Amino acid sequence: MTEKNSEEIKAERHKARQQKLKDGVDAKIAKAQEEKGILLVLTGNGKGKSTSGFGTLARAVGHGKKAAVVQFIKGNWECGERTLLEGAGVEFHVMATGFTWETQDREKDTAAAMEAWTAAEKLLQDESLDCIMLDELTYMVSYHYLDVDRVIEALKKRPPMQHVIITGRACHRAIIDLADTVSEVKPIKHAFDSGVKAQPGFDY
Ligand code: ATP
Ligand code: MG
């Protein structure tokens, strides 16, 4: 009998390791049987929160699901995702103001935030909606335009199979605690810091 060479031993060990890994993953897949509406929070200071949310929404639409979006902060530019998704039947509600840090009128901002939130509350009661994105909602809570308890209550009372995506920096702890999945996008570098401007078709 010929002795196994080191390459064969390496290959066998690799196979055993992979099998163990696969067994572990298979066991987890078999255990994960529950289906429910997921509350997904996309937070952090890096680029990719809203685009990730819109990507998830596009998946829903691709599966023939009904989706809606509320945008809580809107710049004065045309958002490419809106044009595309509205064309695919996604309902959009956009807060009737520019970037809040560009305005100085707190009363007007609060009223605009409440109007957008009222639209969100309606969507969160609508059984026919499979997926809702509340884009940049976190700022409404951190600027105290919106009471976090009111947000939590509406999220808890929503239809059990309805998915909700919340995006924005510095998400309130209470929303993170309630969420099923939370991802933090961490900036490693950003072109803007090297003087590259936000470009349509890539940044919005
Ligand atoms: P995106 O919409 O590209 O996924 P985002 O939702 O993660 O970004 P926001 O803070 O909502 O982040 O971004 C608003 C705008 O600022 C977008 O045009 C985005 O490309 C840009 N941006 C995001 N992160 C950074 C950053 N770290 N530095 C500079 N600009 C950023
Ligand atoms: Mg965003």
Side-chain angles (χ1 to χ4, degrees):
M1 204 171 92
T2 56
E3 262 187 40
K4 282 180 192 165
N5 65 33
S6 67
E7 281 309 311
E8 282 171 332
I9 292 170
K10 255 199 222 161
E12 268 177 22
R13 282 193 189 144
H14 175 76
K15 201 178 161 202
R17 259 200 316 271
Q18 291 304 104
Q19 186 59 44
K20 208 171 151 195
L21 207 67
K22 185 180 180 312
D23 290 347
V25 173
D26 286 350
K28 276 189 190 154
I29 292 171
K31 208 175 148 211
Q33 287 299 325
E34 190 187 354
E35 277 191 17
K36 61 175 275 196
I38 296 295
L39 175 58
L40 167 65
V41 171
L42 300 163
T43 190
N45 296 334
K47 174 178 169 65
K49 299 174 292 292
S50 295
T51 41
S52 169
F54 282 122
T56 307
L57 215 76
R59 279 188 178 161
V61 174
H63 282 281
K65 308 271 185 199
K66 203 174 158 199
V69 179
V70 184
Q71 285 184 298
F72 283 89
I73 289 183
K74 177 74 171 75
N76 297 318
W77 52 65
E78 198 146 310
C79 157
E81 299 93 325
R82 180 178 177 186
T83 313
L84 185 76
L85 290 168
E86 271 187 338
V90 176
E91 178 184 337
F92 267 72
H93 297 265
V94 181
M95 199 165 114
T97 178
F99 272 119
T100 48
W101 46 86
E102 278 178 8
T103 71
Q104 255 99 65
D105 191 338
R106 192 169 170 83
E107 223 168 274
K108 205 172 140 214
D109 285 346
T110 309
M114 278 318 298
E115 199 185 319
W117 174 248
T118 305
E121 274 182 333
K122 280 211 187 86
L123 300 174
L124 290 164
Q125 290 165 14
D126 184 343
E127 299 262 356
S128 75
L129 281 169
D130 301 294
C131 193
I132 298 169
M133 175 161 163
L134 305 175
D135 193 30
E136 323 295 353
L137 174 76
T138 60
Y139 304 102
M140 301 303 103
V141 175
S142 44
Y143 297 163
H144 303 287
Y145 293 153
L146 194 57
D147 182 21
V148 72
D149 292 335
R150 189 162 166 184
V151 175
I152 296 290
E153 196 194 332
L155 290 170
K156 279 186 175 165
K157 282 202 306 208
R158 76 187 196 275
M161 292 307 289
Q162 189 180 71
H163 302 302
V164 176
I165 305 158
I166 291 174
T167 76
R169 296 176 189 204
C171 187
H172 193 288
R173 188 78 233 173
I175 299 175
I176 288 180
D177 287 345
L178 184 68
D180 301 285
T181 302
V182 181
S183 294
E184 184 178 10
V185 184
K186 183 180 153 193
I188 305 292
K189 55 158 100 169
H190 197 289
F192 182 71
D193 298 328
S194 326
V196 183
K197 66 190 268 194
Q199 299 172 85
F202 193 81
D203 293 298
Y204 58 91

